[in-house]
């Protein structure tokens, strides 16, 4: 057996009974040899059972990403078994099997005819052993171009929330106002950058959304296991963090995405940020001191936590010399983030940049408030600016101020994390 970058593989069983022993073993997503993660891949396979040689021009196998070990998943073993029995019946010593173009469809979303591979459902560990849904095929992965999310981000009736670098939810707001959402389904990205959702979840969506999604639908590349989406959905190792932490996670994701795409590290004072992160928690009584402490920590992390000179470098990469603002060399974090967001959101025509950016200006006001040399007049001016920006009646209403600020920071960093992908 060749290992790593395999194009040809052979499995040999001395007898049919030996094959049946293997058939009984349910192969998992974790490699038995090294505990690495396996992914489903297509390969040329030869399977020898006793004296019969069965060739499959494409068969799905589980391959460990770490050590290259290969395992036969359940449905592929079923196909081998069927091929063996056919060879015995026809008295063939050598059998060649081509993958048929047969595309089984499950009883979900029958009207939209999404492209997906039913073999994923039978081969990827765990998907068919789903106790929650009685109709077969619910957890079939359906793949889309990631542009679908950018499209839905631009339409106000939808909500797209990402809460880690590759896992989030996609929802349609309820127009009657009775519920928060008409439907709300999880999505993820696989290691190939494709957007993945479950077929059964898609069936909860309205016809209009399904029709739009269909335009972004692509064929399965079978990659799913090594994603936060699969790991979280199958093993519940991840639960949605509170909004306060989502903001921090999305800031990190934004920095990582920029680093990957432009090789520019815009992070700054990483240790200091980690210290400040400990102060980020939902207030208990919403006293002015308590709220100010959390908001001030956000100021340190979300404004001072960006490297101004690196962001100028990024600005120069994103904007050609004749596009640049005359005064950009004197800009600080907030203006630079605004310019970067403007460029990233170029395909979103209805984004209200001033409102999306407003929470960072509020953080800036808070920092001024903490300046002990500020005169009484200046203090009330800053407070006035904060309540006007956030649309709050009174500065004493700290709970409303806090909730509105957090809500807006979440929207801003959600945009930065998704659009920088
Ligand atoms: Zn391994």
């Amino acid at each position: 057996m060749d290992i790593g970058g395999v194009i040809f593989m052979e499995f040999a069983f001395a007898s049919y009974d030996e094959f049946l022993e293997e058939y009984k073993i349910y192969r998992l997503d974790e490699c038995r040899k090294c505990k690495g993660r396996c992914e489903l891949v297509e390969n040329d396979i030869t399977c020898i059972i006793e004296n019969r040689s069965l060739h499959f021009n494409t068969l799905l196998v589980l391959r460990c990403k770490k050590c290259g070990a290969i395992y036969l998943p359940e449905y592929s073993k079923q196909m081998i078994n069927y091929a063996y029995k056919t060879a015995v019946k026809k008295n063939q010593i050598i059998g060649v099997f081509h993958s048929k173009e047969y595309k089984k469809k499950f009883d979900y979303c029958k009207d939209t005819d999404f492209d997906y591979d039913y073999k994923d459902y039978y081969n990827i560990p765990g998907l068919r052993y789903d106790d929650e849904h009685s109709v077969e095929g619910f957890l079939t992965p359906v793949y889309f171009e990631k542009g679908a999310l950018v499209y839905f981000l631009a339409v106000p009736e939808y909500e797209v929330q990402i809460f880690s670098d590759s896992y989030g939810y996609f929802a349609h707001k309820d127009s009657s106002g009775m519920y928060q959402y008409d439907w709300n389904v999880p999505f993820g990205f696989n290691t190939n950058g494709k957007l993945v959702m479950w077929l059964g979840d898609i069936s909860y969506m309205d016809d209009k959304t399904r029709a739009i999604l269909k335009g972004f639908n692509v064929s399965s590349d079978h990659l799913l296991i090594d994603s936060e989406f699969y790991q979280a959905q199958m093993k519940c190792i991840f639960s949605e963090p509170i909004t306060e932490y989502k903001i921090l996670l999305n800031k990190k994701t934004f920095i990582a995405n920029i680093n990957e795409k432009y090789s520019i590290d815009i992070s700054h004072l990483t240790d200091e940020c980690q210290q400040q992160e400990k102060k980020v928690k939902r207030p208990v009584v919403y006293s002015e001191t308590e709220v100010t402490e959390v908001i001030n920590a956000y100021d340190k992390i979300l404004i001072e936590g960006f490297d101004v000179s690196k962001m100028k470098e990024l600005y120069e990469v994103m904007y050609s010399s004749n596009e640049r603002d005359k005064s950009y060399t004197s800009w600080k974090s907030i203006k630079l983030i605004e310019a970067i967001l403007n460029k990233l959101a170029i395909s979103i025509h209805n984004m209200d940049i001033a409102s999306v950016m407003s929470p960072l200006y509020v953080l800036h006001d808070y920092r001024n408030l903490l300046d002990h040399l500020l005169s009484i007049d200046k203090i009330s001016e800053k407070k006035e600016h904060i309540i006007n920006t956030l649309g709050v009646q009174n500065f004493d209403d700290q709970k409303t101020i806090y909730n509105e600020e957090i809500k807006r920071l979440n929207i801003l960093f959600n945009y930065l994390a998704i659009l920088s992908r």
Side-chain angles (χ1 to χ4, degrees):
M1 197 184 297
D2 192 354
I3 282 178
V6 200
I7 44 166
F8 179 82
M9 280 182 287
E10 195 175 276
F11 290 90
F13 302 95
S15 64
Y16 182 58
D17 281 349
E18 201 178 280
F19 170 74
L20 289 180
E21 279 307 302
E22 166 61 32
Y23 199 178
K24 277 187 224 150
I25 302 170
Y26 190 68
R27 298 295 181 184
L28 299 173
D29 54 308
E30 191 182 273
C31 175
R32 284 214 328 195
K33 291 181 189 151
C34 78
K35 306 259 174 243
R37 264 180 206 162
C38 297
E39 279 279 23
L40 199 62
V41 294
E42 260 179 356
N43 252 302
D44 270 12
I45 298 284
T46 297
C47 188
I48 298 166
I49 301 177
E50 216 170 347
N51 59 341
R52 289 176 213 273
S53 178
L54 313 166
H55 302 283
F56 297 86
N57 66 349
T58 47
L59 194 71
L60 289 164
V61 293
L62 287 164
R63 182 168 68 206
C64 173
K65 293 186 77 171
K66 216 161 129 193
C67 75
I70 285 153
Y71 304 96
L72 288 171
E74 190 170 61
Y75 190 67
S76 292
K77 284 193 272 207
Q78 198 177 315
M79 288 173 74
I80 293 170
N81 189 39
Y82 178 77
Y84 176 79
K85 287 182 170 169
T86 308
V88 170
K89 213 183 281 170
K90 292 186 177 170
N91 209 9
Q92 288 172 322
I93 292 298
I94 294 173
V96 180
F97 302 87
H98 296 279
S99 72
K100 287 191 211 112
E101 284 306 299
Y102 168 64
K103 283 189 175 175
K104 178 177 172 140
K105 291 287 170 186
F106 295 112
D107 282 338
Y108 291 100
C109 307
K110 287 214 119 165
D111 48 341
T112 320
D113 192 33
F114 284 104
D115 186 350
Y116 56 81
D117 191 337
Y118 72 95
K119 297 192 289 309
D120 290 344
Y121 175 72
Y122 292 121
N123 274 324
I124 295 174
L127 301 190
R128 66 183 298 190
Y129 297 100
D130 154 30
D131 304 327
E132 266 181 72
H133 310 97
S134 53
V135 179
E136 183 180 66
F138 191 96
L139 297 178
T140 306
V142 187
Y143 296 80
F144 303 93
E145 287 164 28
K146 65 180 180 185
L149 285 190
V150 178
Y151 176 91
F152 288 110
L153 264 178
V155 185
E157 65 204 66
Y158 295 99
E159 189 170 308
V160 179
Q161 270 281 337
I162 191 154
F163 41 77
S164 73
D165 58 348
S166 60
Y167 182 41
Y169 70 79
F170 171 41
H172 189 268
K173 293 176 198 159
D174 174 32
S175 47
S176 74
M178 280 200 16
Y179 306 98
Q180 196 177 2
Y181 306 114
D182 288 327
W183 47 261
N184 178 1
V185 308
F187 69 81
F189 288 101
N190 73 4
T191 50
N192 226 353
K194 290 204 175 125
L195 175 68
V196 194
M197 285 187 261
W198 303 123
L199 181 65
D201 277 336
I202 298 169
S203 75
Y204 295 146
M205 296 175 184
D206 51 281
D207 295 348
K208 189 182 139 203
T209 308
R210 271 206 299 273
I212 299 167
L213 261 183
K214 170 77 182 147
F216 293 96
N217 187 200
V218 291
S219 304
S220 166
D221 59 11
H222 315 293
L223 300 181
L224 178 71
I225 298 170
D226 191 20
S227 70
E228 278 181 286
F229 175 67
Y230 172 87
Q231 296 296 326
Q233 291 275 299
M234 300 311 290
K235 302 177 182 177
C236 306
I237 55 167
F238 193 98
S239 60
E240 184 180 346
I242 63 165
T243 314
E244 280 81 347
Y245 292 118
K246 264 197 249 175
I247 297 167
L248 302 180
L249 288 171
N250 282 335
K251 178 217 170 191
K252 287 177 187 161
T253 302
F254 169 55
I255 289 175
N257 288 348
I258 292 292
N259 206 352
E260 192 169 310
K261 217 170 186 175
Y262 301 96
S263 303
I264 298 174
D265 179 10
I266 55 172
S267 67
H268 184 53
L269 302 173
T270 322
D271 292 344
E272 167 75 15
C273 285
Q274 272 168 6
Q275 285 306 311
Q276 294 295 331
E277 281 173 17
K278 291 180 192 145
K279 296 184 189 162
V280 169
K281 54 179 182 292
R282 189 161 293 176
V284 185
V285 292
Y286 296 90
S287 67
E288 197 174 316
T289 331
E290 203 187 7
V291 168
T292 306
E293 190 183 9
V294 182
I295 291 196
N296 194 43
Y298 275 123
D299 174 62
K300 295 250 168 38
I301 301 164
L302 304 179
I303 297 182
E304 293 173 37
F306 286 107
D307 187 321
V308 172
S309 67
K310 291 287 179 189
M311 283 209 291
K312 278 182 195 155
E313 220 177 278
L314 177 63
Y315 178 82
E316 286 162 0
V317 174
M318 292 177 123
Y319 288 82
S320 61
S321 48
N322 53 1
E323 276 182 309
R324 289 174 204 158
D325 190 283
K326 276 196 285 297
S327 51
Y328 85 93
T329 49
S330 61
W331 282 357
K332 300 254 166 48
S333 296
I334 300 180
K335 288 289 281 179
L336 286 161
I337 293 172
E338 187 167 339
I340 292 163
L341 177 64
N342 247 316
K343 201 69 169 178
L344 292 173
I346 205 137
S347 56
I348 301 183
H349 303 293
N350 59 350
M351 187 193 275
D352 179 357
I353 291 274
S355 156
V356 172
M357 288 300 297
S358 63
L360 292 188
Y361 290 99
V362 169
L363 292 184
H364 190 69
D365 285 333
Y366 262 94
R367 185 166 30 152
N368 286 328
L369 272 185
L370 291 171
D371 180 349
H372 299 294
L373 298 172
L374 220 56
S375 68
I376 306 279
D377 281 354
K378 279 277 175 205
I379 288 176
S380 49
E381 194 185 296
K382 293 289 165 201
K383 288 183 175 177
E384 196 65 25
H385 189 241
I386 292 170
I387 62 173
N388 287 340
T389 309
L390 297 176
V392 178
Q393 297 294 318
N394 193 316
F395 195 78
D396 293 334
D397 188 359
Q398 287 286 307
K399 190 171 179 179
T400 311
I401 290 181
Y402 177 84
N403 287 336
E404 183 63 26
E405 173 67 4
I406 293 299
K407 189 179 124 200
R408 293 191 188 197
L409 281 173
N410 185 33
I411 293 171
L412 169 63
F413 281 87
N414 188 47
Y415 269 125
L416 289 170
I418 295 177
L419 295 173
S420 59
R421 278 191 73 89

